[in-house]
């Protein structure tokens, strides 16, 4: 809560790695948060050096000066007892901040270790502590505080300890929730296998993850603590001798008719401090929360840069355009955080004739999914087609109005995604999810839609359509889910199916069945398919033609036979060379001495 | 019961989960599984999702509860060890997990990740630093990787870090749980080569768990095929992949498409002949 700026500069000086600099820079780029941090730093400094800064004793009263105006030495005048308002304000900072500090320390000491233990070990400790926490949280804070004042006496510090106990559950719950997730991370398992003791794992691997959320929570809870404390004092709960902002408010309020200005100073101090804490918390949560993501994105884009791909290897565009799908000079760009653009697909050409299956092959980051998304007009946030043309059955789809595009997606082109399970809504039955678009788009009645869905489920070779219709997504297997999604894609009787890694998440025996299904759909209905995949075996099994994509360019294109049997581009050869299909099985094991000499 | 040359023996092991809830019958995922790994050998374990192959690895590592049978390492029981004995065993048995994105702590630098197991085994920090330098060199990562965080590395590089961590204290057995499944084809191949090279130099044994029969065949001296918690076939890599005896192994083999169109067409024809799904 104290000034974060010296800390961060120290970190930069010690370890000149990228992280502290960027986190600190990101913080600096948030003017509100920086202003809040400066205000808080000032308040803390004032609180610490109150004895030096305050010109007068905050308790020294001279009744003749009561409500006296400001003058050269008494900057803010006198209060009802003739005490110096400015000095009381400064001492109030110290008392208010220490009060909040005590509450925070108590809350942290109680909340964090218990949260760590409950989250990491679970079992009886988790049940017992959660039960207690729920009990504490169900208590009305104000009432408990008033009651403890009656029992324990009017000392502010004791009340602050009680308040610390009351806010401890917020830390407990935060820590326990995060730790419960972290415990199942593979790196925690790896640490256990490495022979680390539990307390080391908790201290290093687990605590480092909860650190940032705790810092944010501290700022928020400090604001709450200051507010509650002031509220108590305003109600007259404190003894009244100690100068605090809340007590000053109380006193000023009693004299609001005579000297309304007295209310202003403590109110301003409280308001500024609380607002700064909230702003700082939100700034911190932005800075610490987004840690990692931008760097990863930058990196990906760097990979996608055309650095080591020779442009001349791009396949030239054929004269005639494909009747079903035709892509000419398509480029996709992403807008970066700094406002510049990064191109991830650098002008590619593709054609699909009706009834043809084209495989788009490449490794991760090659831009193959971006190409598929551009055809469908579903590029993620920040991405856009920067040039080129995509036609589906002769209709240009780049720059097409969203409404028209949606119509096209509903009738001519359909999409089969990679992760079947995450594309089904767990709270609706399969039947509902398939029937709804039919009712909305084709205006079918409930009965007609159901009949059509059963028909579709039968078409994708689901053994018991009626049962699947009534099932929820969690009740069916991954392979079944992919069939359901294919059924959904086929519901509008499309001419073009765009499938993005449709079998990657499936077991190989299930993959074989889904591939059979796609072949049969093509044979029976003559649909064209663009299948995006990294698996050359899938290509060999299913595709008529193949386009090989590397770093945003198509480096080679041809029939499946050409590409897989007589590849010309070095990258295609490299891909095929990495496949383990033709490689001999490992010979039998020999005792070590002979194997080494062999 | 000890077999000749066996480093690790898994005898009739059962693992059940989910007996936590009131009156809930436990869900047994391994129904008496046996396998063994010899010194310097790679034992491949292949199966599909839900087959229990990962659970075997976790049981060996002490991360899953063994409810029946026994696991022997160098002739000594290691199932259900006390936490202290388990920690000392980590000198001998290590792991490389599937997902290089979640198996490294995103907030801890590569150097700290690698020195952690060394420090836990009582290395001084200077010795640990020297050893970490050797390890990075061993897995072909630049020395300046030490100060950096996992997110600055690609999937393949992260997996190299995970391998280096497993190698740190020169174990006798490394459990590779889908160690290359998340990697691109070309990266996958280089990581496999690295594992083979390390085995040749150090004589470490691998239990190589994967869903990909082609990868397992390339890496393993012997292969066990696991299906729904039972091992259905065990044999030499060549025997299991060229002449499978069990129908499930055969199905697994014929389901995996190969990148040569003519051979794939033959393979598919054989698949349709034997396992043609009966629609409707």
């Amino acid at each position: 809560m104290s000034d974060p700026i010296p800390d961060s500069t120290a970190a930069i000086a010690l370890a000149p790695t990228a992280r502290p600099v960027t986190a600190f820079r990101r913080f600096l780029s948030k003017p509100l948060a920086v202003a809040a941090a400066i205000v808080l730093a000032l308040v803390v400094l004032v609180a610490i050096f109150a004895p030096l800064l305050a010109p007068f004793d905050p308790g020294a009263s001279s009744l003749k000066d009561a409500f006296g105006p400001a003058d050269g030495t008494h900057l803010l005048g006198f209060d009802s007892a003739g005490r110096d308002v400015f000095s009381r304000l400064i001492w109030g900072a110290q008392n208010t901040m220490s009060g909040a500090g005590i509450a925070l320390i108590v809350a942290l000491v109680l909340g964090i270790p218990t949260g760590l233990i409950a989250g990491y070990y679970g079992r009886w400790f988790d049940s017992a502590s959660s039960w207690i926490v729920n009990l504490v949280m169900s208590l009305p804070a104000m009432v408990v505080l008033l009651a403890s004042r009656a029992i324990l006496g009017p000392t502010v510090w004791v009340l602050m300890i009680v308040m610390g106990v009351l806010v401890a559950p917020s830390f407990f719950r935060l820590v326990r929730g995060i730790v419960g997730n972290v415990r199942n991370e593979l790196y925690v398992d790896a640490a256990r296998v490495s022979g680390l003791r539990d307390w080391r794992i908790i201290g290093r691997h687990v605590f480092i993850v909860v650190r940032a959320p705790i810092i944010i929570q501290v700022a928020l809870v400090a604001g709450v603590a200051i507010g509650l404390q002031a509220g108590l004092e305003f109600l007259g709960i404190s003894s009244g001798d100690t100068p605090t902002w809340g007590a000053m408010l109380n006193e000023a309020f009693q004299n609001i008719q005579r000297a309304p200005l007295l209310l202003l100073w403590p109110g301003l101090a409280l308001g500024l401090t609380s607002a700064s804490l909230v702003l700082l918390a939100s700034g911190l949560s932005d800075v610490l929360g987004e840690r990692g993501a931008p760097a990863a994105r930058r990196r990906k884009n760097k990979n996608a840069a055309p650095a080591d791909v020779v442009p001349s290897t791009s396949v030239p565009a054929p004269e005639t355009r494909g009747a079903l799908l035709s892509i000419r000079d398509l480029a996709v760009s992403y807008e970066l955080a700094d406002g510049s653009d990064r191109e991830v697909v650098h002008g590619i050409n593709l054609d699909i004739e009706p009834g043809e299956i084209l495989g788009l092959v490449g490794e991760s980051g090659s831009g193959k999914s971006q190409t598929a998304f551009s055809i469908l007009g579903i590029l993620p946030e920040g991405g856009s087609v920067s040039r080129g043309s995509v036609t589906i059955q002769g209709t240009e789809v780049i720059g097409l109005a969203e409404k028209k595009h949606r119509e096209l997606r509903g009738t001519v082109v359909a999409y089969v995604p990679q992760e079947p399970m995450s594309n089904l809504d767990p709270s609706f039955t399969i039947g509902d999810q398939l029937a709804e678009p039919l009712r909305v788009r084709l205006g079918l009645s409930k009965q007609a839609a159901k009949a059509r869905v059963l028909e579709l489920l039968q078409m994708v070779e689901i053994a018991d359509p009626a049962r699947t219709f009534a099932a929820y997504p969690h009740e069916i297997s991954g392979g079944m889910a992919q069939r359901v999604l294919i059924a959904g894609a086929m519901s509008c009787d499309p001419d073009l199916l765009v499938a993005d890694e449709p079998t990657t998440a499936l077991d190989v025996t299930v993959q074989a069945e889904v591939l059979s299904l796609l072949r049969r759909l093509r044979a029976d209905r003559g649909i064209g398919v663009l299948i995006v995949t990294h698996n050359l075996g899938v290509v060999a099994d299913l595709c008529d033609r193949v386009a090989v994509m590397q770093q945003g360019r198509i480096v080679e294109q041809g029939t499946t036979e050409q590409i897989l049997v007589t590849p010309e581009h070095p990258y295609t050869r490299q891909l095929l060379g990495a496949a383990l299909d033709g490689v001999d099985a490992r010979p039998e094991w020999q005792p070590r001495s002979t194997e080494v000499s062999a | 019961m000890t077999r000749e040359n066996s480093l690790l023996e898994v005898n009739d092991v059962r693992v059940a989960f989910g007996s936590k809830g009131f009156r809930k019958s436990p869900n047994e995922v391994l129904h008496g599984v046996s396998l063994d790994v010899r010194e310097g050998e790679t034992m491949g374990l292949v199966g599909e999702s839900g087959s229990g192959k990962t659970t075997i690895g976790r049981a060996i590592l002490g991360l899953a509860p063994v409810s029946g049978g026994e696991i022997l390492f160098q002739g000594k029981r290691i199932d259900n060890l006390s936490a202290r004995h388990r920690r000392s065993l980590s000198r001998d048995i290590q792991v490389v997990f599937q997902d290089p994105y979640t198996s490294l702590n995103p907030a801890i630098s590569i150097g700290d990740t690698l020195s952690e197991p060394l420090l836990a085994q009582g290395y001084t920090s200077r010795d640990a630093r020297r050893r970490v330098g050797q390890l990075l060199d061993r897995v072909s990562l630049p020395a300046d990787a030490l100060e950096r965080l996992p997110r600055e590395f690609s999937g393949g590089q992260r997996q190299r870090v995970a391998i280096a961590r497993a190698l740190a204290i020169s174990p006798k057995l490394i459990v590779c749980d889908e160690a290359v499944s998340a990697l691109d084809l070309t990266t996958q191949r280089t990581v496999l080569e690295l594992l083979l090279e390390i085995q040749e130099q150090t004589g470490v044994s691998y239990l190589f768990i994967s869903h990909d029969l082609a990868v397992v065949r390339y890496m393993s001296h012997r292969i066990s095929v696991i299906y729904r918690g039972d091992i259905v076939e065990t044999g030499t890599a060549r025997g299991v992949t060229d002449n499978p005896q069990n129908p499930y192994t055969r199905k697994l083999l014929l389901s995996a498409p190969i990148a040569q169109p003519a051979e794939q067409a033959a393979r598919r024809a054989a698949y349709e002949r034997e396992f043609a799904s009966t629609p409707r």
Side-chain angles (χ1 to χ4, degrees):
Chain A
M1 209 171 49
S2 64
D3 185 8
I5 294 163
D7 280 5
S8 306
T9 27
I12 294 167
L14 285 174
T17 51
R19 182 172 54 106
V21 179
T22 51
F24 179 59
R25 287 227 175 109
R26 278 210 297 278
F27 184 77
L28 283 191
S29 71
K30 302 192 185 302
L32 268 180
V34 172
I38 291 170
V39 169
L40 283 173
L42 283 176
V43 172
V44 170
L45 286 175
V46 165
I48 293 170
F49 296 111
L52 302 177
L53 291 173
F56 300 98
D57 180 350
S61 65
S62 74
L63 284 176
K64 71 176 168 54
D65 288 326
F67 302 112
D71 57 38
T73 46
H74 300 87
L75 293 175
L76 301 176
F78 298 89
D79 69 359
S80 61
R83 295 170 293 197
D84 180 43
V85 171
F86 183 67
S87 302
R88 285 182 73 75
L89 205 58
I90 285 173
W91 280 98
Q94 186 176 56
N95 291 325
T96 305
M97 295 309 263
S98 339
I102 289 174
L104 262 181
I105 289 168
V106 170
L108 289 171
V109 165
L110 286 178
I112 292 177
T114 48
L116 282 170
I117 295 171
Y120 190 76
Y121 290 105
R123 300 183 187 235
W124 66 267
F125 187 85
D126 187 27
S127 320
S129 52
S130 295
W131 193 86
I132 294 171
V133 159
N134 290 339
L135 185 75
V136 171
M137 286 187 96
S138 67
L139 297 172
M142 226 15 160
V143 175
V144 174
L145 285 168
L146 292 175
S148 12
R149 196 250 179 197
I151 300 163
L152 301 169
T155 330
V156 184
W157 312 127
V158 176
L159 286 185
M160 286 299 107
I161 293 173
V162 174
M163 191 192 293
V165 175
L166 290 174
V167 293
S170 70
F171 287 102
F172 173 86
R173 290 205 153 179
L174 177 79
V175 172
R176 175 180 166 270
I178 299 171
V179 172
N181 291 332
V182 170
R183 186 181 53 173
N184 296 324
E185 292 281 351
L186 284 177
Y187 59 78
V188 171
D189 281 342
R192 284 169 69 188
V193 174
S194 291
L196 264 61
R197 284 161 201 279
D198 281 346
W199 59 264
R200 249 195 98 87
I201 296 177
I202 295 177
R204 270 178 69 88
H205 289 276
V206 177
F207 187 68
I208 210 164
V209 180
V210 292
R211 214 174 39 181
I214 288 177
I215 293 173
I216 296 162
Q217 186 81 352
V218 160
L220 283 174
V221 169
V224 173
I226 290 175
L228 262 178
Q229 184 189 6
L232 283 172
E233 287 154 356
F234 180 72
L235 293 176
I237 302 303
S238 71
S239 53
D241 311 335
T242 29
T244 65
W245 294 341
M248 288 174 76
L249 270 182
N250 175 27
E251 198 229 299
F253 186 68
Q254 286 167 10
N255 300 295
I256 193 164
Q257 303 291 353
R258 251 186 102 175
L261 209 60
L262 282 180
L263 212 54
L264 176 68
W265 308 116
L268 203 61
L270 272 172
L272 265 179
T273 311
S274 305
S276 302
L277 281 167
V278 170
L279 288 174
L280 181 69
S282 90
L284 282 175
S285 79
D286 284 352
V287 171
L288 299 172
E290 74 193 22
R291 195 195 271 185
R297 206 179 302 135
R298 256 202 311 281
R299 184 162 186 91
K300 191 166 185 170
N301 287 319
K302 215 184 287 165
N303 285 344
D308 41 326
V309 177
V310 190
S312 63
T313 57
S314 277
V315 179
E319 291 297 307
T320 52
R321 300 190 66 161
L324 181 56
L325 172 76
S326 169
I327 298 177
R328 286 294 176 277
D329 194 31
L330 175 74
V332 178
S333 294
Y334 274 81
E335 197 182 328
L336 299 184
D338 58 8
S340 64
D341 282 339
R342 182 74 77 172
E343 206 175 82
V344 295
V345 175
H346 314 292
I348 61 160
N349 304 309
L350 275 181
D351 289 285
I352 299 183
E353 297 297 330
E356 185 178 47
I357 302 185
L358 176 80
L360 188 57
V361 185
E363 300 198 318
S364 46
S366 62
K368 54 192 196 301
S369 291
Q370 302 304 325
T371 306
F373 291 159
S374 323
I375 297 167
L376 296 158
I378 52 169
L379 279 168
E381 186 86 32
S384 62
V385 172
S386 46
R387 63 166 196 275
S389 143
V390 175
T391 57
I392 297 174
Q393 291 183 337
T395 311
E396 176 64 52
V397 299
I398 303 300
L400 196 65
E402 174 54 27
K403 188 164 167 280
K404 289 263 174 63
H405 213 152
R406 198 160 50 224
E407 261 169 42
L408 205 63
R409 278 202 295 266
T411 52
V412 181
V413 51
Y415 173 56
V416 179
Q418 170 169 5
E419 291 283 344
M421 274 307 180
S422 51
N423 280 285
L424 289 171
D425 187 332
S427 29
F428 293 94
T429 63
I430 304 291
D432 280 347
Q433 293 183 53
L434 290 180
E436 202 198 352
L438 293 174
R439 293 175 61 191
V440 172
R441 211 161 40 211
L442 306 179
L444 296 181
S445 71
K446 205 172 172 183
Q447 290 298 320
K450 182 173 180 179
R452 174 85 180 117
V453 168
L454 289 174
E455 211 174 284
L456 286 166
L457 291 175
Q458 201 161 32
M459 183 179 76
V460 294
E461 295 158 8
I462 284 174
D464 188 351
R467 204 174 122 208
T468 309
F469 185 93
Y472 283 91
H474 70 267
E475 296 172 307
I476 64 173
S477 68
M480 190 86 96
Q482 193 57 289
R483 285 170 192 272
V484 166
L485 286 175
I486 293 174
M490 296 303 293
S491 67
C492 57
D493 214 355
D495 299 302
L496 174 65
L497 204 60
V498 177
D500 184 12
E501 302 268 12
T503 60
T504 305
L506 305 178
D507 278 329
V508 344
T509 50
V510 182
Q511 168 176 289
E513 291 165 19
V514 170
L515 292 178
S516 295
L517 170 65
L518 287 174
R519 289 154 75 89
R520 223 157 301 158
L521 284 177
R522 191 262 292 266
D524 295 351
R525 317 188 142 240
I527 57 168
V529 182
L530 173 71
I531 179 167
V532 173
T533 182
H534 69 283
N535 187 332
L536 296 172
V538 168
V539 169
D541 188 62
L542 191 66
C543 298
D544 304 309
R545 284 194 309 117
V546 192
V548 181
M549 207 158 171
Q550 182 193 19
Q551 300 188 3
R553 292 178 199 286
I554 289 180
V555 294
E556 190 168 6
Q557 203 172 148
T559 66
T560 304
E561 194 77 12
Q562 277 169 359
I563 301 292
L564 295 185
V565 181
T566 52
E568 283 181 1
H569 194 273
Y571 180 68
T572 316
R573 289 199 199 135
Q574 190 194 340
L575 276 184
L576 277 165
L580 292 164
D581 299 326
V583 180
D584 276 342
R586 196 162 178 188
E588 271 185 64
W589 174 82
Q590 304 286 324
R592 180 155 163 72
S593 51
T594 43
E595 195 181 2
V596 169
S597 64
Chain B
M1 195 96 178
T2 306
R3 273 157 276 186
E4 200 193 352
N5 289 323
S6 276
L7 181 68
L8 176 85
E9 272 182 64
V10 175
N11 291 324
D12 201 28
V13 160
R14 294 167 180 276
V15 173
F17 292 114
S19 50
K20 203 169 141 196
F22 179 61
R23 289 182 63 184
K24 219 168 155 188
S25 65
N27 173 22
E28 193 174 83
V29 293
L30 292 180
H31 321 299
V33 163
S34 301
L35 58 83
D36 69 296
V37 186
R38 295 175 287 200
E39 276 177 35
E41 184 187 40
T42 303
M43 180 73 194
L45 183 60
V46 68
E48 293 188 299
S49 49
S51 62
K53 58 184 190 301
T54 293
T55 306
I56 295 185
R58 293 181 69 85
I60 293 167
L61 294 164
L63 298 173
V66 175
S67 49
E70 55 171 17
I71 301 176
L72 303 175
F73 184 79
Q74 295 183 314
K76 290 195 201 79
R77 292 268 310 244
I78 61 162
D79 49 299
N80 302 324
L81 280 183
S82 72
R84 199 163 63 86
H85 284 109
R86 174 50 71 177
R87 275 201 298 276
S88 66
L89 194 66
S90 65
R91 227 177 252 281
D92 294 321
I93 305 183
Q94 277 301 318
V95 65
V96 177
F97 285 114
Q98 162 172 16
D99 189 343
Y101 292 86
T102 58
S103 66
L104 301 176
N105 192 328
I108 295 184
S109 74
I110 301 299
D112 286 349
T113 296
L114 290 179
S115 55
E116 197 165 58
L118 294 166
L119 297 173
Q121 295 295 338
Y123 274 60
T124 65
S125 62
R126 181 197 289 187
D127 287 349
R129 215 173 307 137
R130 190 176 319 129
R131 176 81 181 128
V132 167
Q134 289 170 359
L135 288 168
L136 285 179
D137 193 43
R138 179 67 279 250
V139 298
S140 311
L141 284 175
D144 71 342
L146 280 182
E147 302 290 326
R148 296 200 262 157
L149 290 173
R151 69 150 188 273
E152 299 176 50
F153 294 90
S154 67
Q157 288 172 320
R158 288 182 202 213
Q159 205 57 318
R160 284 170 191 274
V161 174
I163 291 171
R165 174 175 58 191
L167 285 174
I169 37 189
S170 310
K172 296 196 173 70
L173 172 72
I174 299 181
V175 175
C176 302
D177 186 4
E178 298 273 18
V180 296
S181 306
L183 306 179
D184 273 330
L185 207 55
T186 46
T187 322
Q188 173 177 329
R189 187 67 183 266
T190 55
V191 171
L192 291 179
E193 301 294 346
L194 174 68
L195 286 171
L196 287 176
E197 216 177 282
I198 288 168
Q199 186 169 50
E200 203 162 292
Q201 283 172 10
T202 63
V204 66
S205 306
Y206 294 132
L207 177 64
F208 195 89
I209 301 170
S210 176
H211 70 283
D212 188 335
L213 198 54
V215 170
V216 169
R217 173 184 140 95
Y218 178 65
M219 287 298 291
S220 314
H221 297 100
R222 283 185 301 148
I223 297 177
S224 281
V225 181
I226 182 168
Y227 179 63
R228 296 194 181 170
D230 285 303
I231 286 187
V232 295
E233 183 165 2
T234 299
T236 62
R238 196 167 290 152
V240 170
T241 55
D242 290 351
N243 187 19
Q245 300 301 307
N246 185 281
Y248 175 71
T249 314
R250 222 176 138 65
K251 183 170 185 181
L252 212 53
L253 195 71
L254 292 178
S255 302
I258 43 179
Q260 289 305 316
E263 286 171 52
Q264 174 53 25
R267 189 174 267 204
R268 171 164 285 279
Y271 173 85
E272 307 257 313
R273 205 165 47 240
E274 286 186 48
F275 304 105
S277 55
T278 41
R280 275 140 234 193

